Amino acid sequence: MSAAQGSALREHAATVVVSGLSTLFAVALILTTGVMGAALNPDLVEGSDTFRMTLLMVSAIFIIIALYVGAIVTANTFATIIAGRTRTIALYRLIGSTSKRIRSRVAVEGLVMGAIGAVIGFVVAEALIAGVVFFGPGWGWLPEGPNYPLFDPLTILAVAVVVLTTWAAAWAGSRRVGSVSPIAATGASVELRPEESRGRRARTVWAWILIVIGAALLAGGIALSVLSPMALMVSFFGGLFSFTGIAVGAHFIMPPVLKLTGKLIDRGPTGSLAAANAVRFPERSARSTIGLVIGVTLVIMFAVALDSYRSMTLIAFDNDPAMAAMLTETLSITTAIFTGLVGFSAIIAAVGLVNTLSLSVLQRTRELGLLRALGFTGAQVRRMVIAESAQMTVAALGFGILLGVFYGWVAAQSLIGSEIGFAAPSVPWLVIAGVVLFGVALALVAAAAPARRAVRVSPVTALSVA
């Protein structure tokens, strides 16, 4: 395998993994609804088709969430790849290639990688469901006798949607191709600096518009919550607009959060460099962290919403202990299931963080070589990369937890506030602790491979890179 092929595989590894995970999640959920429908006893449960349709609708919500997070991760991955290919793209522009043609080639790469990942995810999902169907009756998981389906036409649709989403995300992620000028052929990896990032006025204006509209709707939903459960619809659109605004405006929202986090690790030369690197290129930092922010926010939001709903409902059923006990048991199971389903999106987001950090190390070969030439030891370079990973992970976790607690409380308050008035949010600390442990593990995993690669950089070889 040539060096170019190896580099291409490293660049697109996250795209294949994300599309594979998204397909695995979607196909497994669709097939699971079929298996659960077949396991129902028609003599005991009427309308099993209605039951399956309900499960499919619930599954569709979580599939869309996973696709949404996967699309953001894929778009950010391709944006990072484009930044690393600036010189190559500039050479193509120099010899007459158009930006549209280059973007089309990049989109085709996304289509191919998305198809490869989708096929792998489909095969793995089919194998998992086949294993459950084969061993389930013997292990007591499923009743014996029913003919459990191992294929559903909807799974083909799911595969097609994942592939097309990856293709569209690759096209969106390559939008910077049009801004690459032929003169950039004299440089290497090019990221937008803070002043250039802040200068993207159209994107910044749209982000603020969405945030302001969302905040107004959220405030209206909270105010209406004491009057009617329909306030939930107002709050839903408020959350949708404001959260989208945060995602769009990540280039000016995340750098201050990262800068604040950087003060925690700014110890010595390695810590200072790590803190500076995280905010030196806002676009790269935003791409690295916003996917994880979204994943963590979703997990915490569902957990807080359900736990707050439980505590608020217990207040309403204070005079009925039997109903309160049954409600607590039901919501505990529901919370565990929903947290697990949404947690899959957080895993997809984590892949994006790991990949972006790896690509940034690959694209900073010359910079790392210069540090080694100036006297930095391999251990110091390793600590710098680990500190960068820790800084980005802590920033994403902290911001995501705050957003999740707020959105979760607003959802619960809007739904049941008309029965009990205003109530404080109920925070599931066990879920918070699990997310924090996940973040610690992620920081270590995200930094492992890039740190090894950074240490192996030879000063002489690195400084010879144009």
Side-chain angles (χ1 to χ4, degrees):
M1 181 182 294
S2 66
Q5 289 175 322
S7 178
L9 287 176
R10 285 193 295 268
E11 286 181 334
H12 292 301
T15 304
V16 175
V17 171
V18 167
S19 59
L21 288 175
S22 300
T23 306
L24 169 63
F25 186 60
V27 173
L29 277 180
I30 292 171
L31 293 178
T32 299
T33 60
V35 172
M36 292 178 66
L40 292 174
N41 187 336
D43 295 330
L44 299 176
V45 181
E46 296 181 359
S48 60
D49 289 340
T50 303
F51 175 78
R52 182 172 183 272
M53 183 59 65
T54 302
L55 285 178
L56 283 174
M57 290 176 63
V58 174
S59 299
I61 293 173
F62 291 102
I63 291 171
I64 290 172
I65 291 173
L67 287 174
Y68 175 71
V69 176
I72 290 176
V73 170
T74 302
N76 289 340
T77 297
F78 273 88
T80 304
I81 291 173
I82 293 302
R85 293 183 183 177
T86 300
R87 187 183 183 196
T88 302
I89 292 171
L91 287 172
Y92 280 128
R93 298 292 304 279
L94 193 62
I95 60 177
S97 184
T98 63
S99 60
K100 183 178 180 180
R101 184 175 179 181
I102 297 173
R103 287 193 72 184
S104 297
R105 289 183 59 182
V106 173
V108 169
E109 289 181 31
L111 185 68
V112 172
M113 296 301 160
I116 293 173
V119 170
I120 295 173
F122 178 81
V123 171
V124 173
E126 286 283 355
L128 287 175
I129 299 300
V132 170
V133 168
F134 183 79
F135 295 106
W139 292 349
W141 295 353
L142 297 171
E144 297 183 4
N147 184 22
Y148 297 107
L150 293 178
F151 177 75
D152 191 309
L154 288 176
T155 58
I156 302 300
L157 177 62
V159 171
V161 169
V162 170
V163 174
L164 291 176
T165 301
T166 306
W167 170 77
W171 175 265
S174 63
R175 60 186 177 274
R176 264 198 70 196
V177 167
S179 64
V180 177
S181 64
I183 194 64
T186 59
S189 172
V190 176
E191 291 278 0
L192 294 180
R193 292 189 174 277
E195 60 275 10
E196 296 171 322
S197 181
R198 289 192 294 268
R200 303 180 69 178
R201 295 181 179 177
R203 183 176 171 184
T204 302
V205 168
W206 274 111
W208 276 115
I209 290 173
L210 291 169
I211 291 173
V212 170
I213 293 175
L217 289 174
L218 285 171
I222 294 172
L224 293 172
S225 67
V226 296
L227 302 176
S228 169
M230 291 304 294
L232 181 63
M233 294 302 298
V234 179
S235 298
F236 170 78
F237 285 104
L240 183 65
F241 279 110
S242 61
F243 199 46
T244 303
I246 291 171
V248 173
H251 62 286
F252 68 84
I253 292 175
M254 290 310 301
V257 179
L258 285 162
K259 189 174 182 180
L260 179 63
T261 310
K263 293 180 180 180
L264 301 176
I265 64 171
D266 190 1
R267 300 289 186 274
T270 55
S272 299
L273 278 174
N277 283 335
V279 297
R280 186 170 45 151
F281 297 110
E283 289 284 337
R284 185 171 65 196
S285 300
R287 288 197 302 266
S288 300
T289 53
I290 193 60
L292 186 58
V293 169
I294 292 172
V296 171
T297 300
L298 290 171
V299 172
I300 300 300
M301 179 185 70
F302 274 93
V304 170
L306 289 170
D307 205 58
S308 298
Y309 178 79
R310 177 190 60 79
S311 62
M312 293 176 184
T313 309
L314 289 178
I315 296 175
F317 287 101
D318 190 39
N319 297 324
D320 191 345
M323 179 63 73
M326 184 176 68
L327 182 68
T328 298
E329 182 180 357
T330 302
L331 286 179
S332 295
I333 297 173
T334 305
T335 300
I337 294 173
F338 277 24
T339 301
L341 291 174
V342 180
F344 205 87
S345 299
I347 293 174
I348 293 175
V351 172
L353 175 62
V354 174
N355 181 70
T356 306
L357 185 61
S358 296
L359 289 178
S360 71
V361 169
L362 277 174
Q363 296 168 4
R364 286 156 54 196
T365 301
R366 186 179 178 85
E367 174 189 324
L368 294 173
L370 179 60
L371 290 175
R372 296 296 302 278
L374 290 174
F376 267 61
T377 64
Q380 286 178 310
V381 173
R382 181 188 293 108
R383 286 199 298 271
M384 183 188 74
V385 174
I386 293 174
E388 282 186 49
S389 174
Q391 181 179 353
M392 290 190 290
T393 303
V394 170
L397 286 177
F399 192 41
I401 289 173
L402 289 176
L403 288 176
V405 170
F406 174 71
Y407 284 130
W409 170 74
V410 170
Q413 176 65 43
S414 301
L415 183 60
I416 202 171
S418 59
E419 299 291 333
I420 64 170
F422 288 103
S426 177
V427 180
W429 294 108
L430 188 61
V431 176
I432 299 288
V435 170
V436 171
L437 289 176
F438 169 77
V440 172
L442 175 62
L444 295 175
V445 172
R452 287 197 302 270
R453 190 176 296 119
V455 170
R456 291 199 300 264
V457 172
S458 167
V460 176
T461 303
L463 293 176
S464 67
V465 177

